[in-house]
Structures are given as C-alpha cells and as structure tokens.
Amino acid sequence: QGSGCSTFTQVATASGTAYNDIGLSASTSYSYRVRATDAAGNLGPYSNIAGATTASGSVTPITFVQKNYATPQSAQASVGVRFTSAQGAGDLNVVVVGWNDSTATVGTVTDSSGNVYQRAVGPTVQSGLATQAIYYAFNIVGAAANANTVTVTFNTPAVYPDIRILEYSGIATTSPLDVTAAAIGSNSSASSGAATTTNANDLIFGADLTVTETTGAGSGFTSRMITVPDSDIAEDRIVSATGSYAATASTTPGAWIMQMAAFRRHP
C-alpha cells in the first residue's frame, strides 16, 4: 500500500487467473505482483509490478435482499406476489414470469409501489410447452414490509404460472441492464448460452422453467429458490471482471428454458 512501495506481503492464493481484492482503503494506491505455481509446488518468478488507485468513498456491494414466489396450479389471468420484508429505496426488483403454454402472453407487470418494470429478456418459448420472460424495475421506491405486491397479468389465463420476485441492493440506479442470454433445450444441463459483459462488476442472474425438475444451481451460482411444486430455479452470482458468462442449472432430462440477465453494480 502507498505510492512507490517496495515491501510486499502475500494477500491471496488464487485458483484461477482473476482475483478480487476487497476491504481496501479509499483514494489509496496499491501495488501488486503475482507468480505462478505448479502441481508440485514449484514457484515461478514474480511478474512486473502493476499499480492501481482505489476510488474515493466507499463502494456499495451487490447484495441479495429477499425473494418470494407464487405457483398457482390452475390457469390464471392475474397473479400477485408480495415482498414480505421492507424494501430499500434505490434497489432492484427482478420478476421472473414463466408459464406452461406458448399461447398466453404477458399483459402487464406492475406493483403497488408504482415502480416501472421493463422486460430484460424473453419471452423465450418452448413451442407448445412453456414460455418465460424476466422483468426488472430499478431505483425502486422504499416500502414497508408486506406493503408492495407485484402483479402479473396475462392476455388469456396462463397455464401453471410460476412467478418469482427478488430484490437486490447495490445495483446501478441508471441503465443497470448490461447483457442478456436465453436458450431452450431438453438435456440434463440447462444453459442460457453465453453473453460477454461490458462492465466488470455485475450481478449475473439466472432463471429456468422446466417441464421436469431442477435439481440444483449451476457452477458458481447461489440458488435463491427452487419453486414448489414447479421446481423452477432463480439463482445468481456476483462477478468482478468482464467476461463471457452463462446461467446454468442441473435438471432431469426434459424440455427447459434458461435465461440470464447481467446487471451493473452501483458505481
């Protein structure tokens, strides 16, 4: 730490080619060097020194806040899901809308707080079987516990709608959506396909809709919910470098839809 420093201490052993150094002081210069090791523990030479200066003030981390879902087991023209805990002003709401037909379409996504929802990705359709889309509202207004209900309407009653709602803090309050991806398939590994992020610090959000069963989150992802009885997942991971990312999940063989939306961290 400090301009022109020459005394180094080891801060980490990274298993890959990227490492996120957290807990640093604001407006401070840091110098880094790295070296490689092989399976036998042999160490290579140190790299050239690279420097960076942290931004002024504190950086807001991306944080999962809460979630809820509704899975009515009959056709519905309107489904409401409530945020049961208090909502923070400036946060991000994500709404996953899935249903088991390819005829109905989403009419509106609204909430009782008056937040405005946009479609991030979709609708992605498994012809004759299922449809899914992801919506989001950013820079939301604060709300007390149980005061905000998200309502999804359809143009005609949708078969077995599966509505998942999630809240995140630390997301950009202007133009938060970075990149998206979506795919359909029928094997035991659902994948959205990859998209390359343009922002280093992103929330990678993934959701599937399956006619069989989701058994777990993809590698690197945290499962936030697997709905009952529909067995559809909502998952996320937080990344600190630009790159090619895909949302994946383990499923039993059968038709699936998988979608991914990346959201930028608040500066």
Side-chain angles (χ1 to χ4, degrees):
Q1 177 180 342
S3 178
C5 66
S6 58
T7 303
F8 287 84
T9 185
Q10 182 172 328
V11 295
T13 299
S15 59
T17 57
Y19 173 70
N20 184 25
D21 196 7
I22 61 175
L24 304 181
S25 300
S27 302
T28 303
S29 63
Y30 289 86
S31 296
Y32 295 89
R33 62 184 186 183
V34 298
R35 59 179 174 174
T37 182
D38 62 17
N42 299 306
L43 291 170
Y46 282 110
S47 70
N48 293 331
I49 296 172
T53 300
T54 54
S56 60
S58 59
V59 174
T60 304
I62 297 172
T63 305
F64 167 74
V65 178
Q66 62 175 311
K67 88 307 185 136
N68 201 3
Y69 69 85
T71 54
Q73 296 300 290
S74 60
Q76 301 287 322
S78 178
V79 181
V81 193
R82 181 180 298 170
F83 283 106
T84 57
S85 298
Q87 292 209 274
D91 285 359
L92 173 81
N93 288 347
V94 179
V95 179
V96 184
V97 184
W99 62 100
N100 281 61
D101 69 65
S102 57
T103 303
T105 59
V106 173
T108 60
V109 178
T110 59
D111 68 24
S112 48
S113 291
N115 296 304
V116 177
Y117 289 83
Q118 305 177 43
R119 189 171 63 233
V121 57
T124 306
V125 180
Q126 273 275 21
S127 182
L129 295 175
T131 310
Q132 183 171 277
I134 298 176
Y135 293 79
Y136 69 101
F138 63 94
N139 197 20
I140 65 169
V141 298
N146 296 305
N148 189 22
T149 297
V150 175
T151 301
V152 178
T153 67
F154 299 92
N155 70 328
T156 189
V159 177
Y160 298 138
D162 185 303
I163 313 300
R164 286 150 276 173
I165 63 172
L166 304 94
E167 179 185 356
Y168 293 89
S169 64
I171 301 297
T173 55
T174 58
S175 303
L177 186 63
D178 189 0
V179 294
T180 65
I184 63 174
S186 59
N187 57 5
S188 60
S189 181
S191 175
S192 65
T196 301
T197 58
T198 66
N199 186 67
N201 299 286
D202 271 7
L203 165 71
I204 309 295
F205 178 85
D208 78 358
L209 183 73
T210 174
V211 300
T212 55
E213 181 181 9
T214 306
T215 56
S219 176
F221 282 82
T222 298
S223 174
R224 297 303 179 185
M225 68 180 80
I226 297 180
T227 61
V228 178
D230 296 357
S231 194
D232 300 323
I233 199 169
E235 61 182 14
D236 59 57
R237 64 180 295 193
I238 298 167
V239 299
S240 57
T242 56
S244 179
Y245 297 100
T248 61
S250 299
T251 66
T252 54
W256 49 257
I257 297 167
M258 190 76 197
Q259 296 173 321
M260 181 273 283
F263 296 95
R264 299 180 177 91
R265 189 188 70 187
H266 192 285

